[in-house]
Amino acid sequence: MSEKLNELLVEPATGLAYRVRPAQTGAGKAPCLLLLHGVGSNESSFVELARQMDVRLTVVLLRAPLILGPNRFAWFPVNFTAAGPVIDETQAERSRRLLVDFLDALPVTCDIDPGQIWIAGFSQGGIMSASVALTMPSAVAGFSILSGRILREMLPQAAPREQLARLQAFVSHGVHDQTLGIHFAHHSREVLEELGVQVEYREYGGGHILDAAMTGDFQHWLARRLRARAA
């Protein structure tokens, strides 16, 4: 399993690089978790979490397409101003479409169950998880925003409420987050509830960090979803 995570692969249609921790179950196609890193990081930041995830899952660690520097990548450029984050909408949309295409190829690429794909991410990765799930709910079973937010710029593209009702979401945030304030998490919860998405919400005492409490709650949330589907 560790050897697999050390291998960097490239999906031909999108050109996106990724690593895989295969499921350890025997029969049938495995459910899949796609993990998206934050701005300025890379897919390796999720290696330890991937090793800890439910053994029933195939876990895919995806690298963002925009190169910022050595081993530093992003889904889109962002400037943090006094008025709040200002994003490059064109690149954000380009990355969203790349992710949709990657998801479309994923059942064949990783031999997984197309009806049980979950997408989650930290910070900007969480933003992209929400953007994909809310615009293409048929592509995923659920999603998680870990210290991220929902882009207001994306909301006009959100799918109809009746399509979003099948989605399940996990939203978590640190109350002392100085990069993306806690008000972004409040906004995410409000938007998801208004759209009819089933959401579980958690707050923590920390800042802009993916800590053990947050990842533990996320793991438990996803494990419950897997058990429910298996039943």
Side-chain angles (χ1 to χ4, degrees):
M1 185 168 62
S2 298
E3 290 75 11
K4 285 284 186 180
L5 276 170
N6 290 334
E7 184 179 3
L8 186 64
L9 307 169
V10 177
E11 198 286 310
T14 61
L16 292 175
Y18 65 98
R19 301 177 192 273
V20 179
R21 191 219 69 176
Q24 297 180 53
T25 52
K29 293 182 181 296
C32 180
L33 171 64
L34 183 62
L35 290 173
L36 311 180
H37 64 80
V39 62
S41 186
N42 61 68
E43 79 291 344
S44 296
S45 63
F46 274 127
V47 165
E48 289 307 314
L49 179 59
R51 289 176 175 144
Q52 297 166 15
M53 292 305 300
D54 195 302
V55 296
R56 292 171 290 182
L57 287 162
T58 289
V59 185
V60 178
L61 285 58
L62 193 54
R63 176 180 292 183
L66 187 64
I67 301 173
L68 301 181
N71 296 316
R72 299 178 65 245
F73 303 87
W75 301 99
F76 54 84
V78 58
N79 291 317
F80 292 93
T81 71
V86 177
I87 71 165
D88 183 330
E89 292 185 47
T90 301
Q91 181 60 46
E93 174 61 12
R94 186 177 296 120
S95 288
R96 187 191 71 83
R97 292 181 180 178
L98 278 174
L99 283 167
V100 170
D101 291 342
F102 186 87
L103 284 169
D104 187 54
L106 194 55
V108 174
T109 303
C110 293
D111 192 31
I112 52 92
D113 181 354
Q116 290 204 71
I117 298 175
W118 307 80
I119 186 169
F122 173 71
S123 193
Q124 197 176 90
I127 292 173
M128 295 309 303
S129 297
S131 293
V132 168
L134 294 178
T135 57
M136 290 292 294
S138 61
V140 296
F143 66 102
S144 181
I145 307 172
L146 308 172
S147 297
R149 66 187 182 105
I150 292 176
L151 296 179
R152 296 180 186 274
E153 297 89 342
M154 177 276 305
L155 287 176
Q157 299 184 64
R161 184 183 176 93
E162 58 269 20
Q163 295 179 25
L164 295 171
R166 59 173 291 278
L167 281 179
Q168 301 187 61
F170 178 81
V171 177
S172 60
H173 216 95
V175 296
H176 302 299
D177 193 323
Q178 295 183 333
T179 302
L180 294 174
I182 190 63
H183 63 281
F184 284 116
H186 296 163
H187 174 254
S188 294
R189 177 173 57 179
E190 292 166 6
V191 166
L192 294 176
E193 289 174 347
E194 288 173 3
L195 292 173
V197 176
Q198 304 169 59
V199 57
E200 185 169 313
Y201 180 85
R202 292 284 185 271
E203 290 184 358
Y204 306 89
H208 193 68
I209 187 172
L210 190 62
D211 62 18
M214 187 182 294
T215 58
D217 284 347
F218 167 62
Q219 288 174 275
H220 291 147
W221 170 81
L222 186 51
R224 291 196 302 273
R225 305 284 85 73
L226 295 174
R227 284 196 297 271
R229 284 177 170 262

